[in-house]
């Protein structure tokens, strides 16, 4: 069946409650919405983290397939990818995109298809940066992370070395830096740093795989903590494939991912958004393995946070993490940065 329309994925919440475990005052609203301004000085934007499974294509059942069309034109996006494209097409009343920033993680994409995914997002006005890693035998993607942003709302800033993104762990962790589009004063600093994670599958690892997993966590944690310590404006999230201690059964075994996440929480001073509600549905029940952590300095700018189901399809699926974030607004939507 076709995916539900975007507004149904972000229902209006019940009256907000005080939650000391995270930030929220209401929930992100979707659909065609006017960018919120308070006394002409602020506006709100939406950002989303989600593991979309496989941003894949399938053979068309009608149309081009009936005409024996071959190549990419003989395929169509799967339900997961159609939902991402629906998000990409959704606009605010002022012409900006509903989702100013998307952090997507995926797996099993054929290498040549990533280019097509990015081209389709570019067609809808987004700019993108991506990192992926492939299996040596098959060449298929093992893991990938992709950041897409609306250049009318956000401007990507160069990091050390002049690059717009820094790959920390190939296909699993990247960092970018953003300011509001139209901002011209370098003296005022930047809006926030953006980390996107897709860590290895949670489980019992041994030998070389265990070493690879441990190195990935060490590098990712070190990079996030370094950015947080230097600038104090980090938002980092995604599919961590690890559960906080408070979400685990005390009698259950803690995997290496869980311990690495626990070390990160203990040493970072960052705040986890939201309650400990399930973010992943699987055959044995549910887990809390998708997270967003923010530096205390940007916490006040987080208007709301919501866990949303319905993006990924099937019995095993991740939920989306949606953040509404308030920024100091330019008088009008900013200039589109040049690629």
């Amino acid at each position: 069946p076709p995916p539900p329309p975007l507004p149904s994925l972000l229902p209006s919440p019940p009256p907000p409650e005080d939650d000391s475990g995270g930030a929220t005052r209401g929930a992100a609203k979707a659909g065609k919405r006017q960018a919120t301004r308070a006394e002409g000085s602020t506006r709100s934007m939406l950002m989303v983290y989600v593991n979309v499974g496989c941003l894949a294509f399938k053979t068309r059942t009608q149309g081009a397939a009936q005409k024996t069309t071959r190549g990419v034109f003989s395929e169509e996006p799967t339900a997961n990818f159609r939902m991402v494209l629906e998000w990409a097409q959704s606009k605010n009343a002022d012409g900006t995109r509903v989702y100013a920033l998307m952090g997507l993680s995926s797996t099993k994409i054929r290498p040549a298809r990533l280019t097509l995914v990015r081209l389709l997002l570019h067609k809808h006005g987004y700019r993108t940066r991506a990192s992926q890693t492939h299996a040596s035998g098959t060449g298929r993607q093992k893991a990938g992370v992709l950041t897409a942003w609306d250049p009318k709302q956000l401007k990507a800033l160069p990091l050390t070395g002049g690059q717009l993104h820094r790959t920390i762990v190939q296909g699993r962790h990247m960092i970018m830096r953003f300011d509001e589009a139209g901002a011209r004063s370098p003296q005022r600093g930047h809006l926030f740093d953006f980390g996107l994670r897709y860590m290895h599958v949670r489980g019992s690892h041994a030998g070389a795989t265990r070493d690879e997993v441990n190195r990935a966590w060490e590098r990712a944690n070190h990079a996030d903590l370094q950015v947080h310590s230097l600038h104090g404006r980090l938002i980092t999230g995604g599919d961590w494939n690890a559960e906080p201690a408070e979400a685990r059964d005390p009698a259950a075994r803690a995997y290496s991912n869980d311990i690495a996440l626990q070390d990160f929480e203990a040493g970072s001073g960052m705040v986890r958004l939201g309650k400990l509600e399930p973010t992943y549905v699987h055959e044995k029940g549910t887990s809390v393995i998708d997270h967003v952590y923010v530096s205390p300095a940007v916490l006040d700018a987080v208007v709301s946070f919501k866990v949303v189901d319905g993006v990924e399809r099937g019995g095993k699926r991740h939920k989306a993490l949606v953040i509404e974030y308030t920024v100091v607004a330019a008088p009008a939507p900013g200039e589109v940065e040049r690629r």
Side-chain angles (χ1 to χ4, degrees), residues 27-29 33 36 44-46 301-304 322-326:
K29 296 180 176 60
R33 54 191 288 276
T36 304
S44 65
M45 62 177 63
L46 294 183
V302 178
V303 178
S304 65
V322 182
I323 307 160
E324 184 173 3
Y325 191 88
T326 300

Side-chain angles (χ1 to χ4, degrees), residues 131 299 334:
S131 172
L299 185 59

